[in-house]
Amino acid sequence: MDYYYTNKDKNHTTKDKVSLQLKVCGMNDNTSEVAGLKPDYLGFIFWEPSKRYFKGDMPAIPHSIKKVGVFVNATIVEIKHLVEQFGLLYVQLHGEESPAFCDELKKRVPQLKIIKVFSIKDSFNFEQLRHFEDVCDFYLFDTKGKLPGGNGYTFNWSVLKNYPSTKPYFLSGGIGIEELTSIHEFLKRPESQYCHAIDVNSKFELEPGLKDIKKIKEFKETLIIK
């Protein structure tokens, strides 16, 4: 999925082609069918209070699809165990994990890519990102709500006008078919320059953990900007 962004170089403006990726999170009941649509990432939630908590055996998934384990304040031992058990290449830290925690996790599992989640509503203090710059690979911006993810509504994307980093990020939080026009408009704006992927979950479900294949297929095909 390709789109064009404006390079925010101080001296000149150019158009650069980059690849916008898709992550489908909250996988459980029909993982193989979703994998057949070839998203770039599949997310598996390893937080027991979640309605989408992953348990059981993981089906074979093409290596081109990156498996992401989603954790909320888990220990490094717990994360390492599940990374090894399920062959996870990425972890998404959705709790209060500190920069020191991320650094130690990197040392314990060097091949692991870390996505650190930050929740936004109407404003956000981007200063806190500074402490994570050297210890994670991606940020993910989600909607602040009662639960750590899966709340079903979007945050105010204009907040990202103040994004100070060059680290790629995932855009998440209640994104559904009805947000496609807004996504296309967002991708024309400078603040989308480092948007690496769109993360979808609750608005593409028949029930928690059971994804609507038709909806995901439509979204994936329409997300492509010609």
Side-chain angles (χ1 to χ4, degrees):
M1 286 168 275
D2 296 325
Y3 69 93
Y4 291 86
Y5 67 77
T6 301
N7 189 328
K8 296 187 286 188
D9 188 288
K10 292 182 179 178
N11 299 315
H12 66 281
T13 299
T14 61
K15 290 287 185 181
D16 296 314
K17 193 175 184 181
V18 296
S19 178
L20 178 65
Q21 303 201 355
L22 176 65
K23 175 173 174 279
V24 182
C25 200
M27 298 309 307
N28 214 318
D29 295 330
N30 55 348
T31 299
S32 295
E33 289 179 82
V34 177
L37 299 177
K38 299 181 180 178
D40 301 283
Y41 298 86
L42 288 178
F44 301 86
I45 297 174
F46 296 102
W47 183 60
E48 288 196 30
S50 173
K51 295 177 182 178
R52 302 167 184 88
Y53 175 64
F54 182 80
K55 52 188 178 296
D57 298 324
M58 187 175 292
I61 295 171
H63 189 69
S64 59
I65 300 174
K66 296 171 278 289
K67 290 182 286 187
V68 183
V70 180
F71 298 91
V72 181
N73 298 325
T75 67
I76 288 177
V77 171
E78 290 168 338
I79 293 173
K80 187 173 185 292
H81 171 72
L82 289 167
V83 164
E84 293 171 351
Q85 180 179 350
F86 293 111
L88 306 175
L89 298 177
Y90 289 65
V91 295
Q92 180 175 314
L93 303 180
H94 227 298
E96 299 170 356
E97 300 86 3
S98 67
F101 181 94
C102 296
D103 188 42
E104 181 62 24
L105 181 58
K106 274 279 193 185
K107 291 175 181 175
R108 296 280 293 274
V109 194
Q111 76 277 14
L112 202 60
K113 300 289 186 183
I114 296 177
I115 305 167
K116 184 67 184 85
V117 179
F118 296 90
S119 298
I120 298 176
K121 190 175 181 182
D122 299 316
S123 63
F124 183 72
N125 178 12
F126 285 99
E127 175 64 19
Q128 62 187 294
L129 300 185
R130 181 169 58 88
H131 306 290
F132 289 88
E133 283 288 302
D134 297 327
V135 295
C136 67
D137 301 280
F138 299 89
Y139 298 131
L140 184 148
F141 297 113
D142 197 4
T143 304
K144 182 177 289 186
K146 293 181 180 179
L147 299 173
N151 289 291
Y153 50 94
T154 61
F155 67 90
N156 182 2
W157 297 346
S158 66
V159 172
L160 294 172
K161 288 179 181 179
N162 298 316
Y163 185 62
S165 177
T166 59
K167 192 177 294 296
Y169 65 83
F170 291 68
L171 183 64
S172 187
I175 295 173
I177 292 283
E178 59 272 24
E179 272 71 49
L180 276 166
T181 299
S182 297
I183 291 171
H184 289 167
E185 289 302 314
F186 174 75
L187 295 176
K188 295 175 184 177
R189 301 203 292 267
E191 57 264 34
S192 74
Q193 176 170 349
Y194 299 107
C195 183
H196 169 71
I198 302 296
D199 185 324
V200 301
N201 187 351
S202 59
K203 285 194 174 179
F204 291 88
E205 291 183 321
L206 300 170
E207 60 183 62
L210 180 64
K211 302 305 181 188
D212 188 324
I213 301 299
K214 183 179 178 181
K215 266 191 175 182
I216 295 173
K217 185 174 186 292
E218 179 185 350
F219 183 82
K220 184 174 183 287
E221 291 173 350
T222 312
L223 188 62
I224 301 172
I225 299 176
K226 305 295 184 181

